[in-house]
Amino acid sequence: MIRLIKKYGLVMLVFGLVLAAVLFRAFSWSGFRYDASEWAEASKDGHNIVYFADKEKTVENSLTVDMGPAYSTFDGSSGKHIRISPDSILAGDNFNLIRKHKGPVILKSSDPAIAARVWMIISQKGIKNVFILRDSADLQK
Amino acid sequence: MRKKVSLFLFLCGLLLAILPLTGHRSFKIRPDNLVNQVLDPQVNYSVDEVAKLIVNGDSAIRLIDLRPRNEFIKAGIPGSINVPYEQFISEDPDIYLNDSKIKVILYGNDDFNSNYALVYCRGLGYDNAFVMEGGLNEWTRTIMESRFTGSRISARENALFEIRARASRIFNEINALPDSLRAVRLTASRFSARKLDGGCE
């Protein structure tokens, strides 16, 4: 065994390092690794939007992420609610909460631009089932 | 021999590590950096700022209208090019953003598609992508329907309303023309706007 290590030590070391790099790249949550176009797909046809009136998607196991002043008209769902500032959405604990949540994640902000930006960032991190809560009154503006 | 085997394995491993990059386009910049970039107010252009750029015939900007083709044909901001959002996301954005000296301002009807596209571009490393706040809906409210209702107008307000009126006039003139004549008319209006610039304050 020792002889083998002596003989192929360098090869094994190099291979081990490359393998570690590949595995890190494949499973690391520290960066973006998905196809940008593919993970933006849901935004093309508006499948990532839920309306106040549409309660079908705001089911019991949803996680509502409030990123600003609460909507006064939001009568909510029985799911979980948390408040996260948009600039700390990817901070360790906050992002883990979103990533580990089993069920739809609903982003809520009074500023649609912020909601849209955060949606794209979270989606590109590989989180599916993320929606933006939109007041139907926005459509009439 | 050992060195050759090592080199071979190293190259194989390197190839494995690089393969995912060549297979698709993924965001290049660090997530925290991207968050900071897209939440920075400097990525936003107000409709008044865009109106001023249009009136001045600024050639260092490119407006991209992300609305569907049929909506763009009806009316679009003068000088803008139409790339429907679905197409924009599917294509390589380098086509539109390759010149870092040109500021690319994205807009749609509202704030959704333009802001998705903003993050998409910035994530892929294009720092010259910006967004027009409120989209064409805000443009219509602020520029096209702009009316001064007060009794006295300050110099600053006067300048603002003058810009709005000129932008509105260009918008109406351009959109009243057939498609084939729009580009020609726009070039002419830029030329005449430049001739009028300057003089005493």
Side-chain angles (χ1 to χ4, degrees):
Chain A
M1 183 68 182
I2 294 169
R3 203 175 149 198
L4 190 77
I5 292 172
K6 275 184 181 173
K7 197 174 178 184
Y8 295 107
L10 183 63
V11 177
M12 288 160 79
L13 180 71
V14 169
F15 192 76
L17 284 172
V18 172
L19 187 70
V22 171
L23 290 175
F24 177 77
R25 185 178 171 80
F27 298 104
S28 168
W29 283 95
S30 61
F32 297 106
R33 59 197 168 99
Y34 297 101
D35 181 60
S37 181
E38 191 185 323
W39 286 78
E41 197 74 26
S43 63
K44 287 183 181 176
D45 43 21
H47 281 162
N48 60 332
I49 305 278
V50 284
Y51 295 96
F52 281 119
D54 182 11
K55 289 182 183 167
E56 286 173 22
K57 286 177 184 167
T58 54
V59 287
E60 282 186 15
N61 62 340
S62 67
L63 171 69
T64 304
V65 180
D66 191 338
M67 298 183 293
Y71 275 105
S72 57
T73 52
F74 180 60
D75 58 0
S77 66
S78 50
K80 199 174 165 188
H81 290 244
I82 53 167
R83 187 177 286 266
I84 300 175
S85 162
D87 53 6
S88 61
I89 198 80
L90 294 182
D93 289 346
N94 294 340
F95 185 64
N96 278 337
L97 209 62
I98 294 169
R99 185 166 64 87
K100 289 177 180 168
H101 180 73
K102 306 266 186 264
V105 174
I106 296 166
L107 304 173
K108 192 172 83 156
S109 171
S110 54
D111 184 350
I114 295 294
R117 290 173 195 184
V118 170
W119 181 89
M120 184 59 92
I121 292 170
I122 290 179
S123 297
Q124 294 295 330
K125 291 284 283 179
I127 311 287
K128 287 180 179 172
N129 231 2
V130 184
F131 299 92
I132 295 170
L133 186 66
R134 190 176 182 188
D135 191 342
S136 50
D138 291 346
L139 297 171
Q140 292 160 9
K141 284 179 187 172
Chain B
M1 180 63 188
R2 205 167 56 174
K3 282 184 181 173
K4 282 181 182 172
V5 172
S6 302
L7 187 67
F8 174 73
L9 285 172
F10 178 74
L11 290 174
C12 285
L14 204 63
L15 193 68
L16 272 176
I18 291 169
L19 270 178
L21 282 177
T22 53
H24 58 242
R25 278 192 306 272
S26 53
F27 280 12
K28 289 172 185 165
I29 69 168
R30 284 184 57 84
D32 50 346
N33 189 8
L34 179 62
V35 171
N36 290 338
Q37 267 194 42
V38 300
L39 294 177
D40 187 338
Q42 288 190 347
V43 299
N44 300 324
Y45 270 84
S46 71
V47 288
D48 277 317
E49 286 169 325
V50 173
K52 194 173 179 183
L53 293 170
I54 290 166
V55 167
N56 291 338
D58 196 324
S59 57
I61 59 151
R62 177 179 295 154
L63 286 161
I64 295 187
D65 188 324
L66 297 165
R67 296 173 305 144
R69 177 82 185 143
N70 60 335
E71 291 183 32
F72 178 74
I73 288 171
K74 285 179 195 165
I77 295 180
S80 57
I81 54 166
N82 179 227
V83 188
Y85 176 69
E86 294 79 7
Q87 185 187 331
F88 189 84
I89 292 294
S90 307
E91 288 178 342
D92 184 352
D94 197 61
I95 305 166
Y96 312 106
L97 293 130
N98 57 3
D99 188 347
S100 59
K101 289 173 192 158
I102 304 275
K103 289 182 176 178
V104 176
I105 303 174
L106 306 155
Y107 74 91
N109 274 327
D110 51 26
D111 274 321
F112 283 92
N113 286 350
S114 54
N115 282 287
Y116 297 141
L118 172 80
V119 179
Y120 186 78
C121 296
R122 291 264 170 173
L124 290 171
Y126 297 102
D127 296 342
N128 55 333
F130 297 84
V131 72
M132 184 175 84
E133 289 174 296
L136 202 66
N137 293 344
E138 184 59 35
W139 172 275
T140 306
R141 272 194 298 271
T142 308
I143 305 297
M144 305 304 292
E145 295 169 1
S146 175
R147 300 284 180 275
F148 183 74
T149 52
S151 53
R152 287 191 64 179
I153 189 164
S154 67
R156 197 161 163 265
E157 284 172 329
N158 189 47
L160 180 70
F161 277 87
E162 178 62 27
I163 293 283
R164 287 179 181 176
R166 285 172 70 182
S168 177
R169 206 161 46 240
I170 294 171
F171 182 93
N172 286 329
E173 281 174 13
I174 297 287
N175 285 296
L177 291 171
D179 284 355
S180 55
L181 292 176
R182 280 188 197 178
V184 180
R185 174 67 185 82
L186 191 70
T187 314
S189 72
R190 275 181 181 171
F191 179 68
S192 63
R194 276 184 189 152
K195 276 204 300 185
L196 291 169
D197 282 346
C200 301
E201 284 292 321

